[in-house]
Amino acid sequence: MRVDIGNALDRVATPGVPEDALDRLDDRVADAHARIEEGRANNEHGYESLNLPHTVDTDEIRAAVEPFDDSEYLLNVGIGGSALGAATLSAALDSDVEAYYLDNVDPEWVESIIDDVDLSKTAVNVVSRSGTTAETLSNFLVVREAMESAGVDWTERTWVTTGEAGNLRDLADKHDLPSLKVPDGVPGRFSVLSTVGLAAAALQGHDIDAIVEGAAAAEADLAPSLYESPAYAYGAIAYALDVRGAGINAMMPYEESLETFAEWYAQLWAESLGKDGLGQTPVRALGATDQHSQLQLYRAGPNDKMVTLVRAADREDTPIPETDLEGLSYLGGSSLGELLDAEFEATEASLAAADLPNVRIEIDSVDEYGLGELLYSMEAATVLAGELYDVDTFVQPAVEWGKKAARGLLGGGDFEEADAVAEKTTLTIE
Ligand SMILES: O=P(O)(O)OC[C@H]1O[C@H](O)[C@H](O)[C@@H](O)[C@@H]1O
């Protein structure tokens, strides 16, 4: 993986980072790297995620999904970190097994997905690290009932991915369901390279060893200097731009297959770094599509943003047929891939010409290896940024408040947070 931070320097962009400031920041990167290595060596909560290329057992994962290898569909019932990593891999890689991610409880949408699949040919992966998430458990109950109504033995078509204890672990024990364990020290948003992300990929026939190899290559690139480690270069430059005013980071892959990657990244970056009044807001965008919508704001709106452009160096291509339409003749003989690359470079240049910071991330190709490298690198970048911000990267206390309020409203206990709902200030205009 390559990261080009040239367009984030202050001689190109405002906000931008002076080279001497980057050198000073590099001393802090060395300290942060030492802290990260210590956390990894001691298997500390969260830091342990960066050890997954060595600790994940891909044979165990393949064995767990093997009983479901007749499946034509996968229903992954999980939310947040229990969905987005696996969904990123599913979206990026082709498979004959069609995967659906039930990561919301919008009733019409859930019902439409259940209607779309043949439940007798569907494998259900119920994923919840905590085993208590209301959305996931509710969706599972709905899926289970749909299977029963369709005369499908749900216990034959379901496996569970969860922690050591909790409602879901109890359910797995009670019905003797196959189960995979979420490693204790791995928070959901850092779990794509564990059982959580890789089981769905294995069921879909992807080479999960190659994903792990790509991650291991990125791990081998971690070094005590941002100039030697692409992952740290990204984490450090995003941090340095944020503290200079680029409080928004638009993640803009130029690969349709990486659109979900931007969603995964958004959770990783937002939940890990958004605390103590700090953090940079991730925004999801897609090239070239969003050049024709959001780019106007990125280039001509307030200069409070950085744009991260992601692409693969190699991809399968489609030629653009010759045309006798005069105004379009320049396109004939070219290809869609060449057009996409031209758009990528044009956008990069157009942002730089407007003094706006942007960073280029490039992988060789969107395949198992490239994805492993990209996902691991972004996790390492996030952990590094957490050290630089000096926040507790691996917790998400702010999310809990709303969960308690919702639970209180549903009669799931006495939570003072639920009272705030009744006390809402209204000023309704009809
Ligand atoms: O895997 P689970 O325990 O069900 O959690 C699913 C998700 O929900 C929570 O609200 C957290 O904020 C996320 O970090 C987590 O990934």
Side-chain angles (χ1 to χ4, degrees), residues 78-83 127-133 136 187-189 267 271 396 399-400 403:
I79 197 167
S82 289
V127 198
S128 174
R129 188 182 188 286
S130 61
T132 58
T133 303
T136 298
R189 59 189 172 276
Q267 184 199 7
E271 259 194 349
Q396 58 285 331
V399 175
E400 299 304 324
K403 276 180 156 180

Side-chain angles (χ1 to χ4, degrees), residues 102-120:
L102 285 183
D103 64 351
N104 200 350
V105 284
D106 179 319
E108 285 183 23
W109 178 75
V110 170
E111 286 299 343
S112 77
I113 288 177
I114 292 174
D115 286 348
D116 274 356
V117 301
D118 177 344
L119 291 169
S120 69

Side-chain angles (χ1 to χ4, degrees), residues 212-234:
V212 174
E213 271 167 41
E219 181 207 12
D221 279 346
L222 298 183
S225 168
L226 71 92
Y227 299 111
E228 287 166 33
S229 169
Y232 286 168
Y234 184 75

Side-chain angles (χ1 to χ4, degrees), residues 36-319:
I36 293 167
E37 291 299 294
E38 179 192 301
R40 292 179 60 194
N42 296 329
N43 277 325
E44 286 176 45
H45 180 74
Y47 295 99
E48 199 182 317
S49 317
L50 296 180
N51 293 337
L52 281 167
H54 303 292
T55 55
V56 68
D57 184 346
T58 50
D59 289 334
E60 183 203 13
I61 292 172
R62 267 188 297 270
V65 302
E66 207 257 342
F68 306 96
D69 65 1
D70 61 339
S71 303
E72 291 178 16
Y73 304 94
L74 167 68
L75 279 186
N76 191 94
V77 186
I79 197 167
S82 289
L84 289 169
T88 295
L89 295 171
S90 289
L93 300 166
D94 290 337
S95 170
D96 292 337
V97 180
E98 217 172 313
Y100 292 88
Y101 287 85
L102 285 183
D103 64 351
N104 200 350
V105 284
D106 179 319
E108 285 183 23
W109 178 75
V110 170
E111 286 299 343
S112 77
I113 288 177
I114 292 174
D115 286 348
D116 274 356
V117 301
D118 177 344
L119 291 169
S120 69
K121 294 177 182 154
T122 298
V124 179
N125 183 18
V126 196
V127 198
S128 174
R129 188 182 188 286
S130 61
T132 58
T133 303
E135 292 90 337
T136 298
L137 294 170
S138 303
N139 272 340
F140 170 62
L141 294 174
V142 171
V143 169
R144 183 168 86 168
E145 190 173 83
M147 284 188 144
E148 281 169 352
S149 305
V152 176
D153 182 354
W154 67 273
T155 62
E156 292 292 313
R157 304 220 59 89
T158 303
W159 88 88
V160 159
T161 308
T162 190
E164 198 101 57
N167 300 335
L168 213 46
R169 175 61 57 195
D170 296 344
L171 178 101
D173 292 345
K174 183 171 171 203
H175 296 280
D176 206 16
L177 303 177
S179 69
L180 283 166
K181 189 172 166 297
V182 183
D184 280 345
V186 176
R189 59 189 172 276
F190 288 89
S191 66
V192 60
L193 298 165
S194 76
T195 50
V196 177
L198 297 184
L203 184 90
Q204 288 195 278
H206 303 312
D207 182 352
I208 60 173
D209 287 317
I211 296 174
V212 174
E213 271 167 41
E219 181 207 12
D221 279 346
L222 298 183
S225 168
L226 71 92
Y227 299 111
E228 287 166 33
S229 169
Y232 286 168
Y234 184 75
I237 204 73
Y239 163 80
L241 287 171
D242 178 28
V243 297
R244 286 169 175 76
I248 297 171
N249 186 348
M251 178 56 73
M252 192 167 185
Y254 270 67
E255 308 288 336
E256 188 74 26
S257 63
L258 291 182
E259 190 173 13
T260 313
F261 158 75
E263 284 187 45
W264 169 85
Y265 161 79
Q267 184 199 7
L268 180 72
W269 200 246
E271 259 194 349
S272 301
L273 306 175
K275 44 202 68 155
D276 305 340
L278 300 168
Q280 185 185 47
T281 304
V283 172
R284 296 170 260 177
L286 180 68
T289 312
D290 285 321
Q291 271 176 230
H292 302 276
S293 62
Q294 298 171 28
L295 192 64
Q296 173 65 33
L297 171 75
Y298 296 169
R299 196 168 188 265
N303 62 342
D304 54 359
K305 298 168 202 67
M306 63 176 282
V307 180
T308 303
L309 302 141
V310 184
R311 75 167 168 188
D314 294 318
R315 64 170 83 84
E316 281 185 23
D317 212 346
T318 299

